[in-house]
Amino acid sequence: MKGYRPVAQSYDEVDRASSELVVLHDVLSWREFHEVALRRAGFGQVATYPAQPDALQEHFNQSPNRHVDLIVFGVQPQSEMSWENLRQLRGVFSGPVLATTELQDDKAQERVRALGIQDYLAVGEFGEEALELKVETALTAHRINTMILENDLRTQRLFVNILTVMVRILESKDPYTRFHSHAVAKWSRMIGRRKGLCEEDLDRLGLAAVFHDFGKIGVPEAILNKAGALTDEEFAVMRKHPTIARDLLSSLELLSDLLPAIAHHHERWDGSGYPDGLKGEQTPLWGRIIALADAYDTMVTRRTYKDPMAMADVRVELDRCRGTQFEADLVDHFKAILDEYVKVV
Ligand SMILES: [Fe+2]
């Protein structure tokens, strides 16, 4: 398979007949010039409008199913109104835009770039063929970028699924920690909801909780499953698991927003936790929530080194650690959750 390149040829080719182009220009003769040139070059669907703010709206009003592959926008460099219209268009249209002026204008080109538009052409100087080439290039570049992004996200999602399986494998080694991460995710989401997080944040918090102990993959089993107390050396190895997780997962952009919570789920409100001894709100909220949910699930489930705690003792312990190990406000929310969901004492 040496030399194999996975990019399919067909992605490089622009289907001119079906590409939907919109030309926005305030000067009628230039609108006509663009339209004639593009149609001559084989672009089958070219709509033209004056370059006014409601032009796109008008375009979609005519047929809501329309989509726009590329906009050619004729800028009048001397008109601030024209620049404002282009700026507004950039705000509502994320696809490729080709900005044109009649004459080459370096300042205008710079302003176009500053608006995040890479494609610029002095169409009056370079003519029809240059316009054809620029449009083709912009469409191709956009198509390839979209393809890379889609593939990248698909691949990253697959990684997340594989990682979730790895968490299950990791937990299944110890019958007492089976489902631990998913239980921590459940409690974390409940606390987060009480704290007022939106649904999207709750999903991300839940995912961070699923991966919170992922770094234990780098801790020897003899330490993980030790029945008695850990020695200082063993504990030092154990304390590395939050940063191991951060390092292992840092290459996945899809999880980047979760890493601070994962790396700091063993910090304590009073600063006596690890790895960085962060105090109070220095620890990210999701990390503070996971710390509480993690401690609770550990208290109420059996471990190789301990029996589950009675619910009454758990409540005493939560009160004891309120404002020291855990944020007081979160403990209050959590006790309300326990009152509601855990009736059995
Ligand atoms: Fe942990």
Side-chain angles (χ1 to χ4, degrees):
M1 294 301 274
K2 218 175 176 188
Y4 173 72
R5 297 182 60 191
V7 177
Q9 274 296 301
S10 59
Y11 281 110
D12 296 344
E13 292 160 9
V14 168
D15 179 358
R16 293 190 179 191
S18 68
S19 293
E20 296 195 23
L21 311 183
V22 170
V23 176
L24 303 178
H25 208 299
D26 281 328
V27 181
L28 175 65
S29 58
W30 277 111
R31 283 205 296 278
E32 288 173 351
F33 170 87
H34 282 85
E35 182 172 8
V36 169
L38 290 168
R39 286 197 185 278
R40 222 189 325 248
F43 290 98
Q45 313 205 38
V46 185
T48 66
Y49 304 92
Q52 298 303 308
D54 55 357
L56 261 195
Q57 193 56 49
E58 192 186 331
H59 182 69
F60 286 116
N61 282 348
Q62 290 180 12
S63 169
N65 295 330
R66 272 180 164 164
H67 78 281
V68 175
D69 291 307
L70 176 132
I71 293 176
V72 181
F73 189 101
V75 189
Q76 311 293 324
Q78 310 306 326
S79 160
E80 281 310 309
M81 184 61 85
S82 175
W83 284 108
E84 176 57 22
N85 289 340
L86 179 57
R87 195 188 63 76
Q88 282 188 23
L89 175 77
R90 197 68 211 143
V92 296
F93 180 70
S94 58
V97 176
L98 169 61
T100 65
T101 53
E102 190 181 338
L103 302 172
Q104 177 63 34
D105 184 329
D106 293 345
K107 271 195 181 148
Q109 183 164 6
E110 245 173 61
R111 281 187 83 169
V112 165
R113 278 223 185 95
L115 287 170
I117 298 165
Q118 290 304 319
D119 298 301
Y120 166 80
L121 177 68
V123 72
E125 288 191 27
F126 294 98
E128 268 191 56
E129 272 184 35
L131 179 65
E132 175 189 349
L133 197 66
K134 276 279 182 185
V135 168
E136 169 89 17
T137 307
L139 285 171
T140 304
H142 182 67
R143 201 165 282 219
I144 290 175
N145 279 342
T146 307
M147 182 188 70
I148 289 171
L149 200 69
E150 280 172 1
N151 272 346
D152 204 33
L153 279 179
R154 218 173 293 150
T155 311
Q156 291 200 30
R157 269 193 206 110
L158 183 66
F159 268 120
V160 171
N161 290 345
I162 292 169
L163 291 175
T164 310
V165 173
M166 284 174 78
V167 168
R168 283 183 194 271
I169 293 169
L170 183 70
E171 291 184 346
S172 70
K173 283 185 183 173
D174 174 357
Y176 300 133
T177 61
R178 207 174 289 171
F179 312 123
H180 170 65
S181 293
H182 289 82
V184 173
K186 179 185 80 175
W187 296 117
S188 295
R189 286 178 58 101
M190 283 175 149
I191 300 167
R193 182 166 278 122
R194 292 244 170 194
K195 195 74 181 164
L197 297 184
C198 65
E199 285 301 317
E200 196 183 326
D201 281 356
L202 290 176
D203 286 345
R204 302 306 288 168
L205 166 63
L207 200 56
V210 166
F211 292 132
H212 78 281
D213 271 347
F214 189 77
K216 285 188 177 172
I217 221 155
V219 176
E221 273 178 61
I223 297 178
L224 282 181
N225 297 333
K226 189 174 175 183
L230 298 180
T231 64
D232 287 350
E233 291 76 30
E234 288 167 338
F235 194 54
V237 175
M238 187 64 145
R239 282 160 68 114
K240 286 185 182 157
H241 77 268
T243 34
I244 291 174
R246 180 175 55 193
D247 294 346
L248 287 176
L249 301 175
S250 62
S251 57
L252 285 172
E253 214 181 310
L254 211 63
L255 300 182
S256 59
D257 58 324
L258 314 182
L259 299 185
I262 293 171
H264 295 292
H265 75 273
H266 281 290
E267 305 288 0
R268 295 182 170 202
W269 186 252
D270 62 8
S272 66
Y274 62 90
D276 293 334
L278 299 184
K279 245 185 172 173
E281 292 185 355
Q282 286 178 331
T283 304
L285 174 63
W286 297 359
R288 299 185 328 251
I289 292 174
I290 293 171
L292 176 56
D294 183 21
Y296 170 77
D297 191 64
T298 305
M299 282 188 250
V300 297
T301 49
R302 186 177 300 281
R303 289 289 189 274
T304 46
Y305 54 89
K306 70 160 196 69
D307 288 332
M309 267 168 91
M311 208 55 205
D313 296 336
V314 170
R315 286 173 193 274
V316 171
E317 186 64 9
L318 287 174
D319 280 337
R320 193 180 68 80
C321 300
R322 181 181 180 277
T324 52
Q325 185 172 346
F326 310 120
E327 180 181 351
D329 187 46
L330 293 183
V331 171
D332 295 341
H333 283 306
F334 193 56
K335 282 169 67 184
I337 292 167
L338 294 182
D339 289 340
E340 201 172 327
Y341 292 95
V342 188
K343 302 289 182 199
V344 187
V345 176

